[in-house]
């Protein structure tokens, strides 16, 4: 059986949220004939998830695999998923996030055409919309935007173009920057759909020391990019480090999440 698309979902302590993420796949409005999708759940906490997997629609196939340890990190988990992926294209979904209802159809059409597809990211805290994040230039996303809009974007990509994920914080950001740099141009974002980030009580962005940890990762990516002479990518992480420093200063008087800061910053700059 030919698999067209592999969706990789890293899982760590996600029994309360995974079903919602899978339901957002099940609820996709599909008009693409013969599209076969494998959903690879990569377990990084050693727990059993088989008994909570909902019945999936026709042509959606679930595969559960484990990493080589406990809390080895989302980058390592994604790499395990990539090794197992049978699809010509790969997409990503976190175990506490969701897709809007036309996401799969629209993203798949774009990735087939260009080898890379990206959509707007929306961040929610329960039912509260914290912010919408997309390219600054008429719904196009450029490498420059990845620096100036420091949230996560989750691509669909041709498998042969997918690189190995780093095992550091914000490895998904480095992955997106690398893919955009390879394209060497701005990419039109997929219209009328979005990737939904659900803020959790124990969200990584709320953890103590988050800013310091992220800054160290950004510094590593910046140095690596300079060594590889990827100057544009190095600039992305230099800008992110500056914004991260501004968040630290802002948060002394606000004590709110990083995404709240981004939303405030976007409104302030408008």
């Amino acid at each position: 059986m030919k698999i067209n698309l592999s969706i990789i979902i890293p899982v760590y302590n996600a029994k309360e949220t995974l079903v919602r993420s899978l339901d957002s796949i099940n609820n996709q409005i599909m008009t693409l004939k013969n599209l076969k999708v494998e959903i690879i759940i990569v377990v990084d906490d050693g727990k059993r998830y088989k008994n909570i997997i909902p019945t999936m629609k026709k042509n959606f196939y679930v595969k559960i695999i484990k990493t080589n340890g406990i809390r080895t990190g989302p980058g390592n988990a994604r790499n395990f998923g990539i090794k197992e992926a049978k699809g010509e294209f790969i997409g990503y979904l976190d175990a506490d996030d969701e897709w809007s209802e036309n996401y799969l159809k629209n993203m798949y059409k774009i990735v087939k055409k260009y080898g890379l597809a990206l959509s707007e990211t929306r961040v929610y805290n329960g039912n509260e919309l914290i912010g919408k994040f997309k390219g600054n230039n008429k719904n196009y996303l450029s490498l420059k935007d990845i620096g100036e809009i420091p949230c996560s974007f989750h691509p669909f990509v041709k498998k042969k173009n997918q690189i190995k994920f780093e095992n550091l914080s914000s490895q998904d950001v480095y992955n997106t920057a690398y893919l955009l740099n390879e394209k060497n141009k701005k990419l039109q974002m997929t219209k009328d759909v979005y990737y939904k980030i659900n803020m959790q009580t124990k969200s990584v962005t709320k953890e103590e020391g988050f800013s310091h940890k992220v800054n160290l990762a950004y510094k590593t990516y910046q140095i690596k990019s300079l060594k590889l002479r990827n100057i544009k990518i190095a600039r992305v992480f230099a800008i992110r480090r500056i914004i991260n420093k501004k968040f630290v200063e802002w948060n002394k008087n606000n004590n709110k999440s990083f995404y709240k800061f981004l939303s405030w910053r976007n409104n302030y700059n408008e």
Side-chain angles (χ1 to χ4, degrees):
M1 177 181 65
K2 180 182 178 182
I3 297 294
N4 306 104
L5 177 68
S6 301
I7 305 300
I8 297 172
I9 306 178
V11 168
Y12 179 80
N13 285 349
K15 287 197 172 183
E16 294 181 2
T17 61
L18 179 60
V19 172
R20 180 179 62 192
S21 298
L22 292 173
D23 282 343
S24 81
I25 298 178
N26 245 350
N27 292 335
Q28 293 298 301
I29 297 175
M30 297 295 296
T31 58
L32 300 173
K33 294 182 179 180
N34 302 318
L35 174 64
K36 291 182 171 54
V37 179
E38 66 172 355
I39 302 162
I40 304 176
I41 297 171
V42 190
V43 179
D44 199 32
D45 59 10
K47 298 177 181 178
R48 294 179 61 85
Y49 284 84
K50 185 176 181 180
N51 62 332
I52 67 169
I53 304 300
T55 301
M56 303 301 291
K57 286 181 179 179
K58 182 181 178 181
N59 292 342
F60 288 168
Y61 308 95
V62 176
K63 179 191 298 185
I64 302 176
I65 64 174
K66 292 184 178 182
T67 63
N68 55 344
I70 304 296
R71 201 174 187 178
T72 64
N76 183 61
R78 289 184 176 110
N79 290 333
F80 267 79
I82 291 167
K83 289 179 184 178
E84 288 288 324
K86 306 299 183 188
E88 181 182 1
F89 302 98
I90 295 176
Y92 297 95
L93 177 63
D94 286 349
D96 50 3
D97 294 340
E98 298 171 75
W99 291 345
S100 62
E101 63 183 12
N102 283 306
Y103 186 91
L104 178 56
K105 177 182 70 175
N106 290 11
M107 288 283 283
Y108 184 68
K109 285 181 178 179
I110 295 297
V111 76
K112 280 188 70 178
K113 186 173 182 179
Y114 298 109
L116 180 64
L118 289 156
S119 75
E120 174 184 316
T121 293
R122 295 187 186 181
V123 181
Y124 282 81
N125 185 6
N127 293 323
E128 178 192 5
L129 175 62
I130 296 176
K132 300 179 182 181
F133 303 97
K134 56 184 178 181
N136 288 319
N137 183 12
K138 295 182 180 179
N139 292 322
Y140 281 83
L141 191 70
S142 68
L143 189 58
K144 182 181 178 183
D145 291 324
I146 301 300
E148 295 180 350
I149 310 172
C151 72
S152 296
F153 294 96
H154 302 263
F156 275 22
V157 59
K158 200 172 184 67
K159 183 185 176 183
K160 70 176 186 179
N161 297 334
Q162 177 62 68
I163 61 170
K164 184 178 180 180
F165 280 85
E166 302 285 334
N167 203 22
L168 294 170
S169 297
S170 298
Q171 29 68 42
D172 52 339
V173 177
Y174 179 79
N175 174 65
T176 303
Y178 178 92
L179 293 172
L180 273 174
N181 190 55
E182 288 294 290
K183 285 291 180 184
N184 199 30
K185 62 180 180 180
K186 61 186 179 181
L187 183 75
Q188 186 172 12
M189 303 190 82
T190 309
K191 296 180 180 179
D192 304 320
V193 300
Y194 59 90
Y195 183 101
K196 181 182 178 184
I197 292 178
N198 293 305
M199 292 292 294
Q200 304 298 322
T201 304
K202 296 182 179 180
S203 170
V204 172
T205 64
K206 295 181 180 179
E207 290 180 357
E208 185 176 351
F210 162 76
S211 296
H212 177 67
K213 188 176 181 181
V214 164
N215 183 63
L216 291 178
Y218 288 170
K219 184 177 180 180
T220 299
Y221 300 140
Q222 187 180 358
I223 293 171
K224 177 179 180 177
S225 300
L226 287 172
K227 288 180 178 179
L228 295 173
R229 298 184 178 180
N230 290 330
I231 306 302
K232 292 181 179 179
I233 297 181
R235 188 179 297 118
V236 162
F237 290 101
I239 294 170
R240 278 186 168 244
R241 292 181 70 192
I242 292 170
I243 295 173
N244 185 55
K245 186 176 180 180
K246 290 180 179 179
F247 165 65
V248 173
E249 292 299 317
W250 177 85
N251 210 33
K252 288 177 181 178
N253 298 319
N254 293 277
N255 193 28
K256 294 183 178 181
S257 73
F258 181 67
Y259 286 117
K260 279 283 190 181
F261 164 72
L262 292 185
S263 181
W264 168 85
R265 181 174 175 269
N266 280 358
N267 293 331
Y268 179 80
N269 290 332
E270 286 180 353

